[in-house]
């Protein structure tokens, strides 16, 4: 107990029947860890730091009845290793990091009467894991007959179960389980998705898994120039899918996309386009995918000069403009690059607006030759913005305009990102190298001069 052991001791007497090493520093169970102790029946290795268990770590332990590995750091177990322990009755793996149980996991534990998998990281389990367990198979054969089967205790509580369609078979198994299989804690609870968090298994009804189905209320939109546009699609799927938008077969930046659940198996995804311009017109696609497949729906957007009865945002109106006296009724914005790195920039801007504290801005950023730029809205009171995921050695254009207004000439900045090791960084490295070399060159004659000036025996030799 609490010994500073880093490996299994050697030369253990062959007739030892019980070994207990706890609160020590074991990190692995190598091959043949106890092959010289074939009489071993009880092995307790709780509260160590075991992360690896070799496929043949239990070799020659035909008499082993009890194995306890509580409180270690096992993220997986080589379940076929239990072919070497046919007499095993108790297996304790609680408080580890197990996140997967393969379907064959319990196949090699024919005489197990106690299995503790509580407080691990299990999220999804197939019902087949237990249907292939010999103890469960015997209990099914004995059901309705006079045959007696020994009870088996199963502990599965304390795991972060994801209660979606993938867990449907396992939840049904837990609901139907009964003697001789006994749950140590029958109140298993869901950890996710959020609308099922904290619910007991017996309270939920899970549907079958479903490939995504995508739809949109409007697949053809026509809007005037300068109008904010939101494209909306709905996705039905189980389990919950990944959703993304594309334009001209290119993935759109996620900061213009919002996705939220509107039902147990339905998501609503919205793509926001600020101050639409003719170059924003085209075909947009909303995509969704889960492990069963993917689907998409297309939305065609047309941006006209003026919709019926609407006044474009760039048209001057009578009297002073809301932007504060800017030419043509459009507020003027001065933009500059405050900082630039290989992969990004930091922008700063000032606007001639009557109420700058209430003014929203729209940033248009993209490659210089791109017909369409990505857009992002920035709230009132903010006058800086950083972008950090640009491509190196690429020419970009960035424009800042008051929201609902198209950017004007003079409100855009064109810049080129550096190469993977930018010229600026290369120059800094070169300066550092030159400084170091100069220091070395200057230091040598200075040291020699000081040495010879001392005129002491042995100085030159040193």
């Amino acid at each position: 107990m609490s010994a500073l052991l880093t490996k299994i001791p050697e030369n253990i007497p062959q007739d030892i029947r019980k070994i207990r090493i706890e609160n020590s520093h074991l990190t692995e169970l190598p091959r043949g860890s106890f092959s010289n102790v074939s009489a071993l029946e009880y092995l307790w290795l709780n509260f160590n730091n075991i992360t690896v268990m070799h496929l043949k770590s239990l070799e020659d332990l035909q008499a082993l009845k009890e194995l306890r590995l509580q409180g270690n750091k096992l993220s997986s177990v080589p379940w076929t290793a239990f072919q070497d322990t046919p007499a095993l009755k108790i297996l304790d793996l609680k408080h580890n990091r197990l996140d997967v149980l393969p379907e064959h996991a319990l196949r090699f534990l024919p005489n197990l009467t106690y299995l503790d998998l509580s407080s691990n990281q299990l999220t999804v389990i197939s019902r087949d894991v237990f249907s292939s367990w010999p103890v469960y198979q015997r209990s099914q054969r004995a059901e309705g007959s006079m045959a007696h089967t020994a009870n088996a205790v199963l502990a599965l509580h304390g795991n972060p179960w994801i209660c979606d369609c993938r867990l449907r078979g396992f939840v049904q198994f837990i609901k139907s389980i009964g003697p001789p299989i006994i749950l140590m804690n029958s109140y298993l609870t869901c950890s996710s998705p959020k609308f099922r968090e904290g619910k007991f298994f017996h309270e939920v009804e899970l549907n079958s898994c479903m490939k995504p189905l995508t739809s949109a209320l409007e697949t053809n939109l026509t809007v005037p120039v300068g109008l904010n546009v939101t494209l909306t699609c709905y996705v039905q799927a189980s389990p919950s899918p990944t959703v993304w938008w594309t334009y001209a077969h290119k993935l759109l930046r996620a900061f213009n996309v919002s996705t939220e659940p509107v039902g147990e198996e339905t998501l609503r995804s919205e793509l926001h386009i600020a101050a639409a311009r003719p170059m924003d017109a085209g075909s947009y696609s909303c995509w969704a995918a889960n492990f069963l497949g993917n689907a998409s729906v297309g939305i065609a957007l047309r941006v006209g000069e003026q919709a019926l009865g609407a006044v474009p945002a760039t048209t001057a109106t009578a009297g002073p403009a809301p932007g504060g006296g800017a030419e043509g009724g459009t507020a003027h914005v001065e933009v500059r690059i405050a900082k630039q790195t290989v992969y990004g920039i930091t922008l700063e801007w000032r606007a001639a607006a009557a109420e700058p504290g209430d003014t929203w801005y729209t940033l248009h950023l993209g490659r210089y030759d791109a017909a369409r730029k990505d857009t992002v809205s920035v709230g009132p009171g903010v006058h800086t913005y950083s972008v950090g995921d640009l491509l190196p050695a690429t020419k970009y254009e960035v424009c800042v305009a008051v929201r609902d207004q198209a950017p004007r000439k003079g409100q855009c900045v064109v810049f080129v990102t550096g190469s993977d090791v930018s010229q600026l960084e290369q120059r800094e490295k070169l300066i550092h190298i030159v400084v170091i070399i100069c220091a070395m060159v200057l230091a040598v004659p200075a040291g020699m001069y000081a040495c010879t000036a001392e005129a002491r025996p042995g100085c030159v030799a040193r």
Side-chain angles (χ1 to χ4, degrees), residues 148 173 190 195 319 324 366 369 373 390-391:
H148 175 71
F173 166 77
C190 304
F195 60 86
D369 56 353
K373 303 290 192 295
L390 303 178
L391 297 173

Side-chain angles (χ1 to χ4, degrees), residues 381-422:
V382 180
H383 296 89
T384 63
Y385 190 81
S386 296
V387 180
D389 58 350
L390 303 178
L391 297 173
T394 305
K395 189 176 182 180
Y396 282 92
E397 182 181 31
V398 60
C399 305
V400 180
V402 174
R403 190 168 70 173
D404 297 335
Q405 296 179 0
R408 301 173 57 210
K409 186 177 180 180
Q411 295 179 195
C412 300
V413 175
V414 178
F415 63 95
V416 179
T417 53
S419 58
D420 283 337
V421 178
S422 69

Side-chain angles (χ1 to χ4, degrees), residues 113-439:
T113 57
Y114 180 93
L115 175 61
D116 195 340
L117 295 168
S118 61
S119 299
N120 276 275
Q121 297 298 315
L122 299 171
T123 56
V124 176
I125 291 184
S126 168
R127 179 179 185 146
D128 296 338
V129 172
F130 298 95
S131 62
S132 63
W133 185 16
V135 175
Y136 178 74
Q137 292 176 345
R138 287 198 298 271
S139 71
Q140 293 298 102
R141 289 195 296 268
E143 188 174 353
S145 68
M146 298 300 293
H148 175 71
T149 303
N151 287 336
V153 176
L154 182 60
L156 292 164
H157 55 278
N159 285 286
W161 302 112
I162 299 176
C163 292
D164 61 22
C165 66
R166 293 168 294 179
L167 206 65
R168 184 169 183 255
F170 177 66
V171 169
Q172 290 175 341
F173 166 77
I174 293 299
K175 290 179 178 180
S176 65
I177 202 171
I181 308 294
I182 300 172
L183 281 178
M184 181 183 293
N185 185 342
S186 59
Y187 292 99
L188 302 186
T189 58
C190 304
S191 292
S192 60
K194 195 168 184 62
F195 60 86
R196 290 197 179 108
E197 183 179 355
K199 289 189 176 182
F200 297 114
F201 277 20
H202 63 264
E203 295 177 327
V204 300
E205 290 294 334
L206 302 180
N207 297 324
S208 300
C209 290
M210 177 175 60
K211 177 183 175 181
L213 295 174
T214 55
S215 61
L217 297 178
E218 295 182 88
T219 56
N220 288 282
L221 288 173
T222 301
V223 299
V225 173
L227 187 71
N228 290 342
V229 183
T230 298
L231 308 183
T232 305
C233 81
Y234 292 88
V235 181
Q236 285 184 293
S238 184
S240 185
T242 301
V243 180
W244 69 97
W245 288 79
T246 62
Y247 173 78
H249 306 292
K250 292 182 180 179
L251 183 66
L252 296 178
R253 289 175 181 266
F255 55 60
N256 284 337
V257 176
S258 61
T259 302
E260 60 182 4
V262 293
E264 287 196 5
E265 295 178 349
T266 305
L267 298 174
R268 180 178 63 222
S269 185
E270 296 180 335
L271 172 65
H272 307 284
I273 302 172
R277 295 182 293 171
M279 64 180 62
D280 293 321
S283 180
Y284 294 80
S285 295
C286 172
W287 288 85
N290 62 16
F291 75 94
L292 289 174
N294 60 67
S296 67
V297 61
I299 299 177
L301 175 65
R302 289 186 292 274
V303 181
E305 289 301 322
Q306 182 174 349
L308 186 62
V311 179
T314 55
T315 301
T317 57
E327 180 185 351
T330 303
H332 180 67
V333 181
E334 294 182 3
V335 188
R336 76 181 188 92
I337 295 177
K339 181 181 178 181
Q340 182 173 354
T341 63
V342 175
Y343 300 106
I345 60 166
T346 297
L347 293 174
E348 289 183 353
W349 63 88
R350 291 186 305 169
E355 298 179 358
D358 297 326
T359 303
W360 281 73
Y361 303 93
T362 301
L363 274 66
H364 304 260
L365 174 65
R367 293 194 185 192
Y368 180 72
D369 56 353
R372 182 186 178 279
K373 303 290 192 295
D374 292 323
T375 59
V376 60
S377 295
V378 179
V382 180
H383 296 89
T384 63
Y385 190 81
S386 296
V387 180
D389 58 350
L390 303 178
L391 297 173
T394 305
K395 189 176 182 180
Y396 282 92
E397 182 181 31
V398 60
C399 305
V400 180
V402 174
R403 190 168 70 173
D404 297 335
Q405 296 179 0
R408 301 173 57 210
K409 186 177 180 180
Q411 295 179 195
C412 300
V413 175
V414 178
F415 63 95
V416 179
T417 53
S419 58
D420 283 337
V421 178
S422 69
Q423 294 149 349
L424 188 59
E425 291 175 345
Q426 287 177 344
R427 190 177 306 131
E428 289 177 352
K429 289 182 179 179
L430 181 60
I431 291 172
H432 290 163
I433 293 170
V434 170
V435 169
I436 292 170
I437 292 174
C438 288

Side-chain angles (χ1 to χ4, degrees), residues 38-75:
S38 57
L40 191 65
E41 295 182 12
Y42 304 92
L43 177 58
W44 289 23
L45 300 172
N46 298 323
F47 307 109
N48 286 284
N49 293 306
I50 299 172
T51 58
V52 177
M53 182 177 173
H54 192 276
L55 181 63
K56 286 295 183 180
S57 57
L58 305 177
E59 195 172 26
D60 298 325
L61 296 183
Q62 297 286 318
L64 189 67
K65 297 178 181 177
E66 186 172 322
L67 175 61
R68 295 186 181 271
L69 290 164
Q70 175 186 354
N72 282 282
K73 298 178 180 179
L74 290 166
S75 57

